[in-house]
Amino acid sequence: MQSLVTILQQQAATLSLLEVVAVVMALLYLFLAIRQNIWCWAAAFVSTAIYLVVMYRASLYMESALQVFYLGMAVYGWYQWRHGPGADHSLPVSRWPLSRHVAVVLAVLMATVISGRVLSEYSAAALPYLDSFTTWGAIVATFMVARKILENWLYWFVIDGASIYLYVNRELYLTALLFAGYLILIVIGYLSWRKDLQELRAT
């Protein structure tokens, strides 16, 4: 059986230029999002367009469909951050009440069960329930980023943690490593946005 290091070396050797661009742009998106820089959405659009193909080839159909949603959200996020309610048209960081989080989590779980059942019976999708969970969760979390809801980082921590197993199962080890790095950046993003929110409330 090949060692993980050997497999990673082989995947790195066969990594196409487009996939390299996708990874770089995905990391750039997160760095810029942490800094609340609007250009994060341009980086997200490029990375998403490439990952759309990657996920489809890996038979992760829900993840592939999610990339289409991401493309639309990149445009929506750009618009929201550029036309916020602030004096300079900026969009400030805000929070959702607990009741909304409960409703959203229940909706994600219900959607996961329904789409997971459909995929398991009518397609050859890999890990249909986990694939569905990460997809529906990401839909909500991406909308939260576009609206600058602080708790989006907490949602992403759970989603990306589950995604690591999903990608390892499909032998997408480089993408799994990317998402492991995301977990660290997510913590940084949460602390940065929380500090910004606290300063906003103080003034």
Side-chain angles (χ1 to χ4, degrees):
M1 185 176 179
Q2 291 179 306
S3 67
L4 178 58
V5 174
T6 301
I7 294 174
L8 284 172
Q9 289 175 338
Q10 291 177 345
Q11 290 189 354
T14 59
L15 197 63
S16 69
L17 178 59
L18 282 180
E19 288 174 300
V20 171
V21 173
V23 170
V24 171
M25 286 297 178
L27 287 172
L28 181 61
Y29 158 74
L30 196 51
F31 279 118
L32 292 175
I34 289 173
R35 298 177 62 84
Q36 299 182 49
N37 187 309
I38 194 173
W39 285 99
C40 69
W41 297 110
F45 192 93
V46 174
S47 178
T48 296
I50 298 172
Y51 266 119
L52 172 62
V53 178
V54 174
M55 297 305 169
Y56 184 81
R57 288 177 176 175
S59 298
L60 295 172
Y61 302 133
M62 286 295 288
E63 287 289 314
S64 183
L66 178 61
Q67 305 308 309
V68 177
F69 170 78
Y70 280 161
L71 289 175
M73 287 304 297
V75 176
Y76 175 76
W78 175 281
Y79 180 85
Q80 289 296 316
W81 285 29
R82 196 173 185 84
H83 300 280
D88 57 351
H89 299 292
S90 62
L91 181 66
V93 177
S94 60
R95 304 191 70 168
W96 275 355
L98 179 60
S99 58
R100 183 172 300 179
H101 286 295
V102 172
V104 166
V105 170
L106 288 176
V108 167
L109 293 177
M110 289 178 61
T112 295
V113 172
I114 294 171
S115 60
R117 179 69 177 273
V118 171
L119 286 174
S120 63
E121 292 189 4
Y122 301 105
S123 79
L127 302 174
Y129 287 96
L130 183 57
D131 188 14
S132 295
F133 171 73
T134 56
T135 297
W136 291 113
I139 287 174
V140 172
T142 302
F143 175 78
M144 293 170 71
V145 176
R147 298 298 301 162
K148 282 194 182 180
I149 305 301
L150 173 64
E151 293 87 356
N152 86 83
W153 299 104
L154 304 180
Y155 281 61
W156 279 123
F157 195 88
V158 174
I159 295 164
D160 287 357
S163 295
I164 292 174
Y165 176 80
L166 187 68
Y167 296 139
V168 168
N169 180 269
R170 303 309 298 163
E171 298 184 354
L172 296 172
Y173 297 116
L174 290 176
T175 300
L177 277 177
L178 174 65
F179 273 64
Y182 279 173
L183 296 183
I184 298 174
L185 294 175
I186 284 169
V187 174
I188 296 174
Y190 176 79
L191 295 176
S192 176
W193 281 32
R194 187 179 67 174
K195 179 181 178 181
D196 187 73
L197 177 61
Q198 291 172 340
E199 291 176 350
L200 180 64
R201 289 179 172 177
T203 57

